[in-house]
Amino acid sequence: MGAIYRREMGAFFTSGAAYVFLTVFTLLSGVFFFFGVIGSGTTETSNMFSSMFMVVLFLIPILTMKLLSEEKKNRTDQGLLTAPIGLWSIVMGKYLAALTLFILAESVVFIYSIILAYLGNVVWSTLLGNYFAMLFLGSAFIAVGLFISSLTENQMASAVVSMVALFVLYLFDSLAASVSIEAVKKVMLMFSFYSRYLEFTQGVFNLTSVVFFVSVAFVFNFLTVRVLDKRRWG
Amino acid sequence: MIEVKNLTKRYGDKRAVNDISFSVGKGEILGFLGPNGAGKSTTMNMLTGYISSTSGQILINGVDILEDPIKAKANIGYLPEIPPLYVDMTVDGYLNFMYDLKKCKISRKAHLEEVCNLCQISGVRNRLIRNLSKGYKQRVGLAQALINNPPVLILDEPTVGLDPNQIIEIRTLIKKLGKKHTVILSSHILPEIQAVCDRIIIINKGVVAADGTAEEIATHLTNEHKMTIRIEGSTHTAADKKEIVEAIKGIDGIKYVRADMEREKGIYDYDVEADENVDIRRALNTLCREREWNILMLQLSAMTLEDIFLKITMGDEVIAKEKAAEMGRKPENTAPKFSLDIKDGELVATEVEKEEKLLVDQSFDDDDENNEGGEK
């Protein structure tokens, strides 16, 4: 797992994906920070974080798009799958590499907090709550992206499908509103990433939501392992 | 070292590999020979645990590859058909990655140096794999397989895309490796297998068609008494040829006789095949003495690996073609005849008996048409 993790981290930076991701992430969060927080004269960061949902949604596929699709295309998966390591090690190595980069990007908010501390009082509980909310959201999204990357050989297809899939997850709230069958509505709301995330940004620390995001991450990583395993039996 | 029992791989209805069994001992170099699409790569992918078998069992060093894949894979170094190289890494970075991936315990610096020296890539260690030539990429692929000194090496067409010098280098290297490792290598190039391998398995259409050393396979298959004879007739004309063929046909136990090309002026070669266990050499000699012909050459045609390969892989097809040639045309006509004329000071060769040939061909066509009509 360590070898794969290190290789992926290196590949993020040599391929430039890391730079694109970090640049766009800091740029957009900076814009939201400036207009949403500094511009409106508050130290309340919840607005900034709720806006960042969409940014995370569209940026995560850039991290995950080639994690497994490129391996399949270049036949390098043959090297991994015939090495004396388990499938979980392969998937987790890649997953944790993407997650590390995401945490790195996300940690830019600590720079904002220093600025805020200089200008006024930082509400650390909301800031940290939001920080972890985004972390959980990201960990779930990365697992979804990694799973979709395992299904194709084409990294562009992987990116587009991941974006669409994550967007559909985001739309679950609005869709649920127009569903008249109560049971279906309930189920859809249960899987609503956005409302769960919003709850966090409003300062509510809901343990079921944490469990939800971690479970989603686990389930999709599990599915990715299954996809790799199934390919051997094809 | 490696034991394969009743290995089968099915893709839908198609059996890519069908009930293959063999075993490879320690320090043996085994060659997988077969035409493209025979199931060589599929077998190798199963041996290395990249794909699973539909049924059957593979034991690597006594460990079942499906039951304990990690332990079994630790014993294998694999160079797939397309080397699994990350082109965005340097050679050094890549080899270090493979070193970590294989959880190698041997001292890193010394081991990588040794592997690089073996594969002669020490000079390119700091270059990006993307920028390497195909030959170097292949060698990096081989180096990767050698990391952690696996007792079993599985190499899928290791010399594809290399120039002749590199091919010789890689062959020498494989031979050297064969002293310490068990090697399985696949190829559709015969001389390569012949040059490197102790033992050969010929795979065709997913089944083992032959298994043994080159000599064993050859003797197993050549129980026919085939020879080529060059006989000098009395008149040095084509009439000789007819006479000689007819005369040889008269010898007991002759299966077929065919006049080959004109080797010396008025002298022809004859391919003769006798029934099994019949030695016609003495009878031939007597015949020639009686008729006052001279035997200028007699060569028993031992089967080369190439003949064997063709025979096994083309199988019935070749025999059918030969039979058609025997039945459809008189043996003498198989080699085209030319008459030489001098026209306007230039030597002109024209094919004679062309009309007769055309007729034969047409009659073949007619047959085909009739067959088609019958099917309708």
Side-chain angles (χ1 to χ4, degrees):
Chain A
M1 190 172 89
I4 292 172
Y5 173 81
R6 282 193 294 281
R7 202 208 80 77
E8 286 306 333
M9 285 307 283
F12 275 139
F13 284 94
T14 47
S15 72
Y19 299 111
V20 173
F21 181 79
L22 291 173
T23 311
V24 177
F25 193 95
T26 37
L27 187 77
L28 291 179
S29 67
V31 168
F32 288 130
F33 177 67
F34 185 76
F35 291 108
V37 184
I38 308 256
S40 42
T42 154
T43 56
E44 172 62 50
T45 48
S46 288
N47 278 337
M48 177 185 91
F49 276 103
S50 60
S51 313
M52 285 306 287
F53 183 91
M54 289 304 273
V55 177
V56 172
L57 193 158
F58 283 106
L59 279 182
I60 285 211
I62 292 177
L63 284 186
T64 59
M65 63 183 181
K66 57 193 266 177
L67 283 179
L68 283 163
S69 59
E70 282 285 282
E71 298 266 1
K72 196 175 170 192
K73 189 175 151 202
N74 297 332
R75 302 275 208 104
T76 45
D77 60 337
Q78 234 166 342
L80 295 183
L81 294 173
T82 57
I85 47 163
L87 294 173
W88 270 105
S89 306
I90 298 173
V91 173
M92 286 316 285
K94 286 172 178 287
Y95 175 76
L96 291 178
L99 190 63
T100 306
L101 205 68
F102 179 73
I103 291 173
L104 202 69
E106 196 200 5
S107 298
V108 75
V109 300
F110 290 116
I111 298 175
Y112 302 152
S113 68
I114 294 167
I115 299 168
L116 284 182
Y118 177 72
L119 294 170
N121 285 327
V122 185
V123 189
W124 283 102
S125 55
T126 26
L127 190 107
L128 281 178
N130 276 309
Y131 177 79
F132 282 108
M134 191 178 266
L135 182 71
F136 289 129
L137 181 76
S139 61
F141 277 5
I142 289 169
V144 174
L146 183 60
F147 168 68
I148 290 166
S149 171
S150 75
L151 299 174
T152 170
E153 282 185 27
N154 183 330
Q155 51 167 315
M156 281 328 283
S158 159
V160 171
V161 173
S162 300
M163 283 180 196
V164 171
L166 296 179
F167 196 69
V168 168
L169 286 176
Y170 161 72
L171 287 179
F172 259 33
D173 278 277
S174 350
L175 289 174
S178 57
V179 171
S180 50
I181 308 159
E182 204 54 39
V184 177
K185 195 176 195 165
K186 227 174 183 172
V187 171
M188 284 181 83
L189 282 176
M190 222 157 73
F191 285 102
S192 162
F193 283 62
Y194 188 58
S195 59
R196 282 180 192 279
Y197 177 71
L198 272 190
E199 210 175 52
F200 273 109
T201 61
Q202 281 146 14
V204 184
F205 189 85
N206 189 345
L207 194 65
T208 51
S209 291
V210 175
V211 173
F212 171 79
F213 284 128
V214 173
S215 307
V216 169
F218 174 77
V219 165
F220 277 95
N221 280 331
F222 174 76
L223 289 176
T224 310
V225 170
R226 298 313 306 162
V227 168
L228 293 185
D229 197 30
K230 175 153 186 308
R231 209 181 286 160
R232 296 166 55 210
W233 298 90
Chain B
M1 205 75 211
I2 303 172
E3 226 168 303
V4 175
K5 292 175 196 156
N6 309 100
L7 193 66
T8 300
K9 179 73 184 177
R10 258 203 307 258
Y11 290 109
D13 286 340
K14 196 180 163 275
R15 278 167 196 262
V17 170
N18 195 358
D19 201 23
I20 282 184
S21 299
F22 61 89
S23 64
V24 194
K26 201 174 176 189
E28 204 173 357
I29 305 182
L30 174 75
F32 264 177
L33 188 60
N36 293 322
K40 298 186 300 266
S41 291
T42 312
T43 308
M44 293 194 143
N45 281 335
M46 280 190 282
L47 286 176
T48 53
Y50 178 58
I51 56 173
S52 64
S53 51
T54 310
S55 65
Q57 195 185 27
I58 297 167
L59 297 175
I60 308 280
N61 224 351
V63 184
D64 190 310
I65 190 106
L66 289 181
E67 266 167 29
D68 193 349
I70 293 179
K71 203 174 161 200
K73 285 172 187 174
N75 285 311
I76 303 174
Y78 182 35
L79 170 64
E81 213 173 341
I82 299 164
L85 305 175
Y86 293 98
V87 292
D88 56 350
M89 294 175 100
T90 62
V91 173
D92 217 29
Y94 174 66
L95 292 179
N96 271 300
F97 163 66
M98 288 312 286
Y99 178 95
D100 292 336
L101 193 68
K102 293 187 176 185
K103 301 186 186 87
C104 187
K105 295 281 190 295
I106 312 165
S107 143
R108 183 187 294 260
K109 202 169 164 241
H111 184 48
L112 291 186
E113 215 154 84
E114 187 199 342
V115 166
C116 287
N117 285 337
L118 260 182
C119 301
Q120 300 184 334
I121 51 170
S122 304
V124 296
R125 281 179 75 170
N126 292 320
R127 284 176 61 184
L128 276 182
I129 294 176
R130 185 198 310 280
N131 300 331
L132 295 180
S133 68
K134 181 137 204 268
Y136 269 112
K137 281 183 187 162
Q138 194 74 20
R139 284 194 248 177
V140 175
L142 190 60
Q144 161 274 127
L146 291 175
I147 286 178
N148 206 15
N149 275 335
V152 176
L153 279 177
I154 296 183
L155 314 172
D156 198 349
E157 310 210 342
T159 56
V160 157
L162 303 183
D163 67 39
N165 282 332
Q166 295 169 331
I167 288 180
I168 292 167
E169 276 169 26
I170 295 265
R171 277 185 200 162
T172 324
L173 176 58
I174 293 171
K175 271 201 150 172
K176 204 154 107 192
L177 292 171
K179 285 175 189 150
K180 276 197 265 172
H181 307 251
T182 301
V183 182
I184 298 185
L185 86 119
S186 80
S187 179
H188 56 265
I189 305 159
L190 291 146
E192 179 165 301
I193 296 270
Q194 221 164 0
V196 176
C197 300
D198 307 326
R199 204 176 117 210
I200 298 166
I201 289 183
I202 300 182
I203 295 184
N204 188 40
K205 290 173 188 158
V207 295
V208 174
D211 182 351
T213 63
E215 292 79 30
E216 275 169 14
I217 293 177
T219 47
H220 180 66
L221 283 164
T222 50
N223 40 18
E224 301 143 322
H225 284 226
K226 274 186 166 183
M227 59 186 84
T228 308
I229 324 162
R230 187 174 300 165
I231 301 176
E232 182 185 30
S234 41
T235 60
H236 284 217
T237 58
D240 273 358
K241 199 165 68 172
K242 244 177 191 165
E243 206 186 330
I244 292 170
V245 168
E246 287 307 318
I248 296 176
K249 270 185 188 164
I251 299 174
D252 278 347
I254 289 282
K255 249 173 153 179
Y256 82 80
V257 187
R258 204 185 69 183
D260 204 339
M261 284 176 65
E262 184 178 7
R263 300 288 174 170
E264 294 166 38
K265 194 164 171 25
I267 304 170
Y268 297 83
D269 277 6
Y270 303 87
D271 293 332
V272 179
E273 192 183 334
D275 286 333
E276 281 170 41
N277 307 321
V278 177
D279 194 344
I280 57 158
R281 285 174 300 177
R282 284 167 194 86
L284 254 173
N285 235 327
T286 318
L287 175 80
C288 291
R289 238 181 358 231
E290 279 169 8
R291 303 279 186 110
E292 296 187 343
W293 295 331
N294 294 316
I295 296 179
L296 301 181
M297 186 197 81
L298 191 150
Q299 192 175 39
L300 288 175
S301 40
M303 265 185 139
T304 61
L305 194 57
E306 197 140 352
D307 296 330
I308 296 160
F309 180 68
L310 278 175
K311 184 160 181 165
I312 289 172
T313 55
M314 311 284 282
D316 304 333
E317 227 172 289
V318 169
I319 293 164
K321 270 185 197 159
E322 275 178 7
K323 276 202 176 141
E326 269 175 57
M327 290 189 304
R329 301 159 202 186
K330 286 183 180 170
E332 295 98 313
N333 291 343
T334 46
K337 285 178 180 175
F338 293 96
S339 72
L340 293 175
D341 289 313
I342 295 176
K343 265 186 202 165
D344 305 330
E346 274 181 58
L347 197 63
V348 179
T350 42
E351 208 174 317
V352 293
E353 294 177 39
K354 208 171 186 179
E355 280 173 315
E356 193 187 322
K357 259 191 159 176
L358 276 175
L359 279 174
V360 172
D361 287 342
Q362 268 174 0
S363 72
F364 267 86
D365 290 344
D366 286 350
D367 283 352
D368 286 350
E369 272 166 32
N370 287 342
N371 286 342
E372 274 168 29
E375 275 166 21
K376 277 168 200 168

